[in-house]
mmCIF file of all heavy atoms in Angstrom:
data_model
loop_
_atom_site.group_PDB
_atom_site.id
_atom_site.type_symbol
_atom_site.label_atom_id
_atom_site.label_comp_id
_atom_site.label_asym_id
_atom_site.label_seq_id
_atom_site.Cartn_x
_atom_site.Cartn_y
_atom_site.Cartn_z
ATOM 1 N N ILE A 279 -114.114 19.860 10.209
ATOM 2 C CA ILE A 279 -114.203 19.560 11.667
ATOM 3 C C ILE A 279 -113.058 18.602 12.034
ATOM 4 O O ILE A 279 -112.854 17.567 11.322
ATOM 5 C CB ILE A 279 -115.548 18.926 12.053
ATOM 6 C CG1 ILE A 279 -116.677 19.861 11.722
ATOM 7 C CG2 ILE A 279 -115.585 18.511 13.474
ATOM 8 C CD1 ILE A 279 -116.613 21.194 12.481
ATOM 9 N N PRO A 280 -112.222 18.879 13.049
ATOM 10 C CA PRO A 280 -111.112 17.906 13.478
ATOM 11 C C PRO A 280 -111.733 16.572 13.864
ATOM 12 O O PRO A 280 -112.852 16.457 14.305
ATOM 13 C CB PRO A 280 -110.575 18.637 14.639
ATOM 14 C CG PRO A 280 -110.914 20.083 14.617
ATOM 15 C CD PRO A 280 -112.249 20.038 13.933
ATOM 16 N N PHE A 281 -110.874 15.485 13.567
ATOM 17 C CA PHE A 281 -111.351 14.119 13.805
ATOM 18 C C PHE A 281 -111.787 13.881 15.260
ATOM 19 O O PHE A 281 -112.777 13.179 15.608
ATOM 20 C CB PHE A 281 -110.256 13.147 13.396
ATOM 21 C CG PHE A 281 -110.630 11.695 13.598
ATOM 22 C CD1 PHE A 281 -111.598 11.125 12.760
ATOM 23 C CD2 PHE A 281 -110.072 10.927 14.569
ATOM 24 C CE1 PHE A 281 -111.957 9.787 12.889
ATOM 25 C CE2 PHE A 281 -110.442 9.679 14.736
ATOM 26 C CZ PHE A 281 -111.383 9.049 13.901
ATOM 27 N N GLU A 282 -111.114 14.603 16.166
ATOM 28 C CA GLU A 282 -111.361 14.401 17.638
ATOM 29 C C GLU A 282 -112.771 14.858 18.085
ATOM 30 O O GLU A 282 -113.271 14.470 19.113
ATOM 31 C CB GLU A 282 -110.251 15.119 18.465
ATOM 32 C CG GLU A 282 -108.872 14.541 18.384
ATOM 33 C CD GLU A 282 -108.255 14.897 17.068
ATOM 34 O OE1 GLU A 282 -108.696 15.766 16.333
ATOM 35 O OE2 GLU A 282 -107.267 14.174 16.680
ATOM 36 N N LYS A 283 -113.327 15.727 17.176
ATOM 37 C CA LYS A 283 -114.693 16.201 17.429
ATOM 38 C C LYS A 283 -115.725 15.698 16.429
ATOM 39 O O LYS A 283 -116.882 16.129 16.416
ATOM 40 C CB LYS A 283 -114.769 17.771 17.464
ATOM 41 C CG LYS A 283 -113.818 18.334 18.553
ATOM 42 C CD LYS A 283 -113.898 19.841 18.591
ATOM 43 C CE LYS A 283 -113.020 20.495 19.702
ATOM 44 N NZ LYS A 283 -113.014 21.935 19.619
ATOM 45 N N ARG A 284 -115.284 14.800 15.612
ATOM 46 C CA ARG A 284 -116.140 14.459 14.446
ATOM 47 C C ARG A 284 -117.434 13.656 14.851
ATOM 48 O O ARG A 284 -118.470 13.893 14.405
ATOM 49 C CB ARG A 284 -115.324 13.549 13.536
ATOM 50 C CG ARG A 284 -115.799 13.386 12.080
ATOM 51 C CD ARG A 284 -115.370 14.572 11.211
ATOM 52 N NE ARG A 284 -114.076 14.978 11.214
ATOM 53 C CZ ARG A 284 -113.061 14.384 10.582
ATOM 54 N NH1 ARG A 284 -113.350 13.330 9.761
ATOM 55 N NH2 ARG A 284 -111.824 14.817 10.593
ATOM 56 N N GLY A 285 -117.247 12.762 15.901
ATOM 57 C CA GLY A 285 -118.408 12.070 16.310
ATOM 58 C C GLY A 285 -119.435 13.004 16.958
ATOM 59 O O GLY A 285 -120.643 12.827 16.751
ATOM 60 N N MET A 286 -119.022 14.031 17.716
ATOM 61 C CA MET A 286 -119.939 14.988 18.335
ATOM 62 C C MET A 286 -120.713 15.693 17.228
ATOM 63 O O MET A 286 -121.874 15.877 17.242
ATOM 64 C CB MET A 286 -119.200 15.929 19.246
ATOM 65 C CG MET A 286 -120.057 16.982 19.876
ATOM 66 S SD MET A 286 -119.187 18.189 20.765
ATOM 67 C CE MET A 286 -118.307 19.076 19.353
ATOM 68 N N VAL A 287 -119.929 16.261 16.263
ATOM 69 C CA VAL A 287 -120.586 17.087 15.189
ATOM 70 C C VAL A 287 -121.466 16.312 14.290
ATOM 71 O O VAL A 287 -122.637 16.727 14.025
ATOM 72 C CB VAL A 287 -119.456 17.848 14.408
ATOM 73 C CG1 VAL A 287 -120.183 18.645 13.243
ATOM 74 C CG2 VAL A 287 -118.689 18.773 15.277
ATOM 75 N N VAL A 288 -121.054 15.139 13.929
ATOM 76 C CA VAL A 288 -121.923 14.269 13.022
ATOM 77 C C VAL A 288 -123.116 13.836 13.852
ATOM 78 O O VAL A 288 -124.230 13.863 13.267
ATOM 79 C CB VAL A 288 -121.086 13.061 12.479
ATOM 80 C CG1 VAL A 288 -122.044 12.079 11.800
ATOM 81 C CG2 VAL A 288 -120.006 13.479 11.593
ATOM 82 N N GLY A 289 -122.966 13.567 15.088
ATOM 83 C CA GLY A 289 -124.184 13.229 15.975
ATOM 84 C C GLY A 289 -125.100 14.344 16.002
ATOM 85 O O GLY A 289 -126.319 14.125 15.892
ATOM 86 N N LEU A 290 -124.619 15.533 16.128
ATOM 87 C CA LEU A 290 -125.570 16.721 16.206
ATOM 88 C C LEU A 290 -126.182 16.912 14.816
ATOM 89 O O LEU A 290 -127.411 17.313 14.779
ATOM 90 C CB LEU A 290 -124.817 17.933 16.661
ATOM 91 C CG LEU A 290 -124.289 17.986 18.079
ATOM 92 C CD1 LEU A 290 -123.501 19.174 18.420
ATOM 93 C CD2 LEU A 290 -125.422 17.916 19.069
ATOM 94 N N LEU A 291 -125.423 16.794 13.825
ATOM 95 C CA LEU A 291 -125.946 17.002 12.456
ATOM 96 C C LEU A 291 -127.050 15.945 12.138
ATOM 97 O O LEU A 291 -128.018 16.276 11.448
ATOM 98 C CB LEU A 291 -124.842 16.884 11.441
ATOM 99 C CG LEU A 291 -125.077 17.273 10.034
ATOM 100 C CD1 LEU A 291 -125.458 18.737 9.896
ATOM 101 C CD2 LEU A 291 -123.944 16.930 9.134
ATOM 102 N N GLU A 292 -126.887 14.809 12.668
ATOM 103 C CA GLU A 292 -127.859 13.702 12.386
ATOM 104 C C GLU A 292 -129.146 13.904 13.135
ATOM 105 O O GLU A 292 -130.103 13.030 12.977
ATOM 106 C CB GLU A 292 -127.261 12.363 12.708
ATOM 107 C CG GLU A 292 -126.171 11.904 11.740
ATOM 108 C CD GLU A 292 -126.741 11.594 10.350
ATOM 109 O OE1 GLU A 292 -127.847 10.988 10.254
ATOM 110 O OE2 GLU A 292 -126.141 12.065 9.341
ATOM 111 N N VAL A 293 -129.262 14.910 13.914
ATOM 112 C CA VAL A 293 -130.488 15.269 14.602
ATOM 113 C C VAL A 293 -131.597 15.376 13.535
ATOM 114 O O VAL A 293 -132.820 15.213 13.716
ATOM 115 C CB VAL A 293 -130.406 16.539 15.508
ATOM 116 C CG1 VAL A 293 -131.751 17.035 15.907
ATOM 117 C CG2 VAL A 293 -129.591 16.142 16.723
ATOM 118 N N ALA A 294 -131.199 15.860 12.328
ATOM 119 C CA ALA A 294 -132.181 16.065 11.229
ATOM 120 C C ALA A 294 -132.864 14.763 10.838
ATOM 121 O O ALA A 294 -133.989 14.730 10.485
ATOM 122 C CB ALA A 294 -131.500 16.630 10.047
ATOM 123 N N TRP A 295 -132.117 13.687 11.068
ATOM 124 C CA TRP A 295 -132.748 12.309 10.800
ATOM 125 C C TRP A 295 -133.670 11.979 11.789
ATOM 126 O O TRP A 295 -134.890 11.529 11.489
ATOM 127 C CB TRP A 295 -131.545 11.284 10.684
ATOM 128 C CG TRP A 295 -131.946 9.902 10.373
ATOM 129 C CD1 TRP A 295 -132.064 8.868 11.260
ATOM 130 C CD2 TRP A 295 -132.341 9.386 9.087
ATOM 131 N NE1 TRP A 295 -132.497 7.727 10.562
ATOM 132 C CE2 TRP A 295 -132.627 7.983 9.250
ATOM 133 C CE3 TRP A 295 -132.472 9.928 7.784
ATOM 134 C CZ2 TRP A 295 -133.046 7.211 8.206
ATOM 135 C CZ3 TRP A 295 -132.753 9.155 6.771
ATOM 136 C CH2 TRP A 295 -133.132 7.812 6.894
ATOM 137 N N ALA A 296 -133.395 12.197 13.116
ATOM 138 C CA ALA A 296 -134.306 11.787 14.099
ATOM 139 C C ALA A 296 -135.534 12.706 14.129
ATOM 140 O O ALA A 296 -136.722 12.328 14.238
ATOM 141 C CB ALA A 296 -133.626 11.923 15.493
ATOM 142 N N ALA A 297 -135.343 14.012 13.779
ATOM 143 C CA ALA A 297 -136.424 15.023 13.777
ATOM 144 C C ALA A 297 -137.385 14.742 12.619
ATOM 145 O O ALA A 297 -138.533 15.009 12.725
ATOM 146 C CB ALA A 297 -135.808 16.454 13.623
ATOM 147 N N SER A 298 -136.873 14.064 11.589
ATOM 148 C CA SER A 298 -137.768 13.742 10.506
ATOM 149 C C SER A 298 -138.879 12.765 10.984
ATOM 150 O O SER A 298 -140.026 12.835 10.498
ATOM 151 C CB SER A 298 -137.031 13.085 9.357
ATOM 152 O OG SER A 298 -136.511 11.869 9.677
ATOM 153 N N MET A 299 -138.553 11.853 11.905
ATOM 154 C CA MET A 299 -139.585 10.973 12.463
ATOM 155 C C MET A 299 -140.293 11.556 13.697
ATOM 156 O O MET A 299 -141.484 11.381 13.881
ATOM 157 C CB MET A 299 -138.945 9.639 12.905
ATOM 158 C CG MET A 299 -138.447 8.884 11.679
ATOM 159 S SD MET A 299 -139.711 8.324 10.532
ATOM 160 C CE MET A 299 -140.386 6.880 11.386
ATOM 161 N N LEU A 300 -139.524 12.260 14.563
ATOM 162 C CA LEU A 300 -140.088 12.839 15.748
ATOM 163 C C LEU A 300 -141.081 13.942 15.493
ATOM 164 O O LEU A 300 -142.025 14.121 16.191
ATOM 165 C CB LEU A 300 -138.970 13.238 16.680
ATOM 166 C CG LEU A 300 -139.349 13.664 18.084
ATOM 167 C CD1 LEU A 300 -139.993 12.523 18.900
ATOM 168 C CD2 LEU A 300 -138.083 14.167 18.840
ATOM 169 N N ILE A 301 -140.746 14.798 14.539
ATOM 170 C CA ILE A 301 -141.520 16.010 14.223
ATOM 171 C C ILE A 301 -142.197 15.852 12.863
ATOM 172 O O ILE A 301 -143.364 16.092 12.663
ATOM 173 C CB ILE A 301 -140.673 17.260 14.318
ATOM 174 C CG1 ILE A 301 -139.986 17.413 15.768
ATOM 175 C CG2 ILE A 301 -141.412 18.503 13.932
ATOM 176 C CD1 ILE A 301 -139.026 18.475 15.755
ATOM 177 N N GLY A 302 -141.398 15.563 11.827
ATOM 178 C CA GLY A 302 -141.852 15.630 10.506
ATOM 179 C C GLY A 302 -142.981 14.648 10.163
ATOM 180 O O GLY A 302 -143.965 14.976 9.636
ATOM 181 N N ILE A 303 -142.802 13.310 10.566
ATOM 182 C CA ILE A 303 -143.802 12.320 10.254
ATOM 183 C C ILE A 303 -145.143 12.515 10.911
ATOM 184 O O ILE A 303 -146.166 12.373 10.328
ATOM 185 C CB ILE A 303 -143.241 10.881 10.482
ATOM 186 C CG1 ILE A 303 -141.995 10.626 9.641
ATOM 187 C CG2 ILE A 303 -144.334 9.860 10.166
ATOM 188 C CD1 ILE A 303 -142.182 10.775 8.218
ATOM 189 N N PRO A 304 -145.160 12.855 12.277
ATOM 190 C CA PRO A 304 -146.511 13.218 12.824
ATOM 191 C C PRO A 304 -147.192 14.400 12.098
ATOM 192 O O PRO A 304 -148.357 14.360 11.943
ATOM 193 C CB PRO A 304 -146.089 13.597 14.234
ATOM 194 C CG PRO A 304 -144.814 12.754 14.564
ATOM 195 C CD PRO A 304 -144.130 12.801 13.284
ATOM 196 N N LEU A 305 -146.396 15.361 11.697
ATOM 197 C CA LEU A 305 -146.945 16.534 10.955
ATOM 198 C C LEU A 305 -147.535 16.033 9.588
ATOM 199 O O LEU A 305 -148.580 16.457 9.122
ATOM 200 C CB LEU A 305 -145.972 17.661 10.734
ATOM 201 C CG LEU A 305 -145.557 18.402 12.047
ATOM 202 C CD1 LEU A 305 -144.518 19.485 11.710
ATOM 203 C CD2 LEU A 305 -146.865 19.165 12.631
ATOM 204 N N ILE A 306 -146.816 15.091 8.968
ATOM 205 C CA ILE A 306 -147.291 14.573 7.686
ATOM 206 C C ILE A 306 -148.615 13.805 7.920
ATOM 207 O O ILE A 306 -149.525 13.886 7.123
ATOM 208 C CB ILE A 306 -146.220 13.601 7.094
ATOM 209 C CG1 ILE A 306 -144.996 14.412 6.676
ATOM 210 C CG2 ILE A 306 -146.796 12.824 6.020
ATOM 211 C CD1 ILE A 306 -145.234 15.372 5.464
ATOM 212 N N GLY A 307 -148.660 13.076 9.035
ATOM 213 C CA GLY A 307 -149.968 12.413 9.356
ATOM 214 C C GLY A 307 -151.068 13.338 9.530
ATOM 215 O O GLY A 307 -152.175 13.046 9.084
ATOM 216 N N TYR A 308 -150.870 14.405 10.236
ATOM 217 C CA TYR A 308 -151.794 15.470 10.418
ATOM 218 C C TYR A 308 -152.287 16.057 9.033
ATOM 219 O O TYR A 308 -153.439 16.198 8.714
ATOM 220 C CB TYR A 308 -151.332 16.560 11.294
ATOM 221 C CG TYR A 308 -152.321 17.760 11.362
ATOM 222 C CD1 TYR A 308 -153.343 17.680 12.262
ATOM 223 C CD2 TYR A 308 -152.099 18.907 10.611
ATOM 224 C CE1 TYR A 308 -154.261 18.784 12.369
ATOM 225 C CE2 TYR A 308 -153.010 19.981 10.721
ATOM 226 C CZ TYR A 308 -154.039 19.874 11.611
ATOM 227 O OH TYR A 308 -154.909 20.948 11.732
ATOM 228 N N ALA A 309 -151.271 16.358 8.160
ATOM 229 C CA ALA A 309 -151.563 16.923 6.869
ATOM 230 C C ALA A 309 -152.346 15.962 6.038
ATOM 231 O O ALA A 309 -153.351 16.352 5.262
ATOM 232 C CB ALA A 309 -150.263 17.289 6.156
ATOM 233 N N ILE A 310 -152.049 14.658 5.998
ATOM 234 C CA ILE A 310 -152.805 13.699 5.256
ATOM 235 C C ILE A 310 -154.198 13.590 5.764
ATOM 236 O O ILE A 310 -155.162 13.501 4.906
ATOM 237 C CB ILE A 310 -152.123 12.280 5.341
ATOM 238 C CG1 ILE A 310 -150.732 12.295 4.575
ATOM 239 C CG2 ILE A 310 -153.029 11.184 4.715
ATOM 240 C CD1 ILE A 310 -149.987 11.049 4.658
ATOM 241 N N GLU A 311 -154.404 13.641 7.039
ATOM 242 C CA GLU A 311 -155.810 13.471 7.640
ATOM 243 C C GLU A 311 -156.579 14.731 7.286
ATOM 244 O O GLU A 311 -157.825 14.689 7.064
ATOM 245 C CB GLU A 311 -155.686 13.269 9.076
ATOM 246 C CG GLU A 311 -156.953 12.708 9.730
ATOM 247 C CD GLU A 311 -156.711 12.154 11.115
ATOM 248 O OE1 GLU A 311 -156.215 12.905 11.986
ATOM 249 O OE2 GLU A 311 -157.064 10.997 11.331
ATOM 250 N N LYS A 312 -155.926 15.903 7.248
ATOM 251 C CA LYS A 312 -156.573 17.158 6.994
ATOM 252 C C LYS A 312 -156.831 17.468 5.579
ATOM 253 O O LYS A 312 -157.942 17.876 5.116
ATOM 254 C CB LYS A 312 -155.727 18.244 7.628
ATOM 255 C CG LYS A 312 -156.386 19.692 7.602
ATOM 256 C CD LYS A 312 -157.290 19.819 8.817
ATOM 257 C CE LYS A 312 -157.758 21.259 8.967
ATOM 258 N NZ LYS A 312 -158.722 21.383 10.092
ATOM 259 N N TRP A 313 -155.781 17.166 4.662
ATOM 260 C CA TRP A 313 -155.883 17.558 3.236
ATOM 261 C C TRP A 313 -155.734 16.448 2.267
ATOM 262 O O TRP A 313 -155.713 16.741 1.085
ATOM 263 C CB TRP A 313 -154.839 18.700 3.058
ATOM 264 C CG TRP A 313 -154.998 19.919 3.859
ATOM 265 C CD1 TRP A 313 -156.105 20.750 3.881
ATOM 266 C CD2 TRP A 313 -154.121 20.410 4.845
ATOM 267 N NE1 TRP A 313 -155.917 21.754 4.810
ATOM 268 C CE2 TRP A 313 -154.707 21.604 5.387
ATOM 269 C CE3 TRP A 313 -152.811 20.035 5.260
ATOM 270 C CZ2 TRP A 313 -154.048 22.365 6.316
ATOM 271 C CZ3 TRP A 313 -152.230 20.802 6.246
ATOM 272 C CH2 TRP A 313 -152.851 21.931 6.815
ATOM 273 N N GLY A 314 -155.503 15.247 2.757
ATOM 274 C CA GLY A 314 -155.352 14.145 1.697
ATOM 275 C C GLY A 314 -153.942 13.710 1.578
ATOM 276 O O GLY A 314 -152.986 14.403 1.952
ATOM 277 N N TRP A 315 -153.826 12.588 0.966
ATOM 278 C CA TRP A 315 -152.538 11.933 0.803
ATOM 279 C C TRP A 315 -151.538 12.702 -0.128
ATOM 280 O O TRP A 315 -150.355 12.512 -0.059
ATOM 281 C CB TRP A 315 -152.653 10.498 0.302
ATOM 282 C CG TRP A 315 -153.156 10.389 -1.103
ATOM 283 C CD1 TRP A 315 -154.451 10.293 -1.514
ATOM 284 C CD2 TRP A 315 -152.370 10.308 -2.274
ATOM 285 N NE1 TRP A 315 -154.496 10.223 -2.818
ATOM 286 C CE2 TRP A 315 -153.267 10.230 -3.393
ATOM 287 C CE3 TRP A 315 -150.981 10.340 -2.558
ATOM 288 C CZ2 TRP A 315 -152.837 10.198 -4.674
ATOM 289 C CZ3 TRP A 315 -150.523 10.385 -3.884
ATOM 290 C CH2 TRP A 315 -151.494 10.255 -4.940
ATOM 291 N N ARG A 316 -152.106 13.571 -1.005
ATOM 292 C CA ARG A 316 -151.234 14.337 -1.878
ATOM 293 C C ARG A 316 -150.548 15.507 -1.198
ATOM 294 O O ARG A 316 -149.608 16.046 -1.670
ATOM 295 C CB ARG A 316 -152.107 14.820 -3.029
ATOM 296 C CG ARG A 316 -152.654 13.791 -3.877
ATOM 297 C CD ARG A 316 -153.801 14.326 -4.801
ATOM 298 N NE ARG A 316 -153.283 15.354 -5.662
ATOM 299 C CZ ARG A 316 -154.106 16.028 -6.500
ATOM 300 N NH1 ARG A 316 -155.374 15.758 -6.545
ATOM 301 N NH2 ARG A 316 -153.638 17.033 -7.249
ATOM 302 N N SER A 317 -151.042 16.016 -0.071
ATOM 303 C CA SER A 317 -150.603 17.214 0.546
ATOM 304 C C SER A 317 -149.053 17.127 0.944
ATOM 305 O O SER A 317 -148.409 18.152 0.817
ATOM 306 C CB SER A 317 -151.396 17.532 1.810
ATOM 307 O OG SER A 317 -151.465 16.516 2.744
ATOM 308 N N PRO A 318 -148.527 16.025 1.413
ATOM 309 C CA PRO A 318 -147.092 16.039 1.817
ATOM 310 C C PRO A 318 -146.246 16.398 0.635
ATOM 311 O O PRO A 318 -145.214 17.091 0.796
ATOM 312 C CB PRO A 318 -146.873 14.659 2.301
ATOM 313 C CG PRO A 318 -148.211 14.137 2.720
ATOM 314 C CD PRO A 318 -149.201 14.780 1.824
ATOM 315 N N PHE A 319 -146.546 15.916 -0.521
ATOM 316 C CA PHE A 319 -145.690 16.210 -1.708
ATOM 317 C C PHE A 319 -145.690 17.614 -2.075
ATOM 318 O O PHE A 319 -144.558 18.196 -2.302
ATOM 319 C CB PHE A 319 -146.242 15.438 -2.959
ATOM 320 C CG PHE A 319 -146.146 13.914 -2.863
ATOM 321 C CD1 PHE A 319 -147.201 13.175 -2.301
ATOM 322 C CD2 PHE A 319 -145.018 13.244 -3.339
ATOM 323 C CE1 PHE A 319 -147.031 11.765 -2.268
ATOM 324 C CE2 PHE A 319 -144.921 11.964 -3.328
ATOM 325 C CZ PHE A 319 -145.941 11.126 -2.754
ATOM 326 N N ILE A 320 -146.801 18.334 -1.950
ATOM 327 C CA ILE A 320 -146.849 19.763 -2.309
ATOM 328 C C ILE A 320 -146.142 20.596 -1.196
ATOM 329 O O ILE A 320 -145.356 21.488 -1.515
ATOM 330 C CB ILE A 320 -148.281 20.257 -2.474
ATOM 331 C CG1 ILE A 320 -148.919 19.435 -3.741
ATOM 332 C CG2 ILE A 320 -148.431 21.718 -2.736
ATOM 333 C CD1 ILE A 320 -150.381 19.654 -3.870
ATOM 334 N N ILE A 321 -146.464 20.280 0.068
ATOM 335 C CA ILE A 321 -145.856 21.114 1.177
ATOM 336 C C ILE A 321 -144.307 20.940 1.165
ATOM 337 O O ILE A 321 -143.591 21.896 1.237
ATOM 338 C CB ILE A 321 -146.454 20.615 2.515
ATOM 339 C CG1 ILE A 321 -147.948 20.990 2.603
ATOM 340 C CG2 ILE A 321 -145.724 21.280 3.684
ATOM 341 C CD1 ILE A 321 -148.674 20.365 3.722
ATOM 342 N N LEU A 322 -143.869 19.723 1.097
ATOM 343 C CA LEU A 322 -142.429 19.504 1.138
ATOM 344 C C LEU A 322 -141.668 20.048 -0.110
ATOM 345 O O LEU A 322 -140.616 20.556 -0.044
ATOM 346 C CB LEU A 322 -142.109 18.026 1.226
ATOM 347 C CG LEU A 322 -142.439 17.349 2.580
ATOM 348 C CD1 LEU A 322 -142.479 15.874 2.516
ATOM 349 C CD2 LEU A 322 -141.463 17.792 3.660
ATOM 350 N N GLY A 323 -142.404 20.005 -1.241
ATOM 351 C CA GLY A 323 -141.803 20.586 -2.465
ATOM 352 C C GLY A 323 -141.551 22.105 -2.299
ATOM 353 O O GLY A 323 -140.499 22.576 -2.657
#
């Protein structure tokens, strides 16, 4: 990616970081409440 567009592309790529808290962690909370604290390890694996 050219340097002039690097901030834009890295910013879009980093959506994975925000999504981990915005989407992933609430789903982990649901999984723990439904199946127990071990479930995130197995699902994510």
Side-chain angles (χ1 to χ4, degrees):
I279 301 299
F281 182 69
E282 292 74 19
K283 298 180 180 179
R284 201 79 51 80
M286 179 188 69
V287 173
V288 172
L290 293 174
L291 190 66
E292 288 295 317
V293 167
W295 182 255
S298 69
M299 291 299 280
L300 186 61
I301 300 172
I303 300 302
L305 289 176
I306 292 295
Y308 175 81
I310 291 175
E311 198 164 57
K312 188 84 171 174
W313 300 299
W315 67 269
R316 296 164 59 185
S317 59
F319 291 90
I320 297 172
I321 294 169
L322 289 168

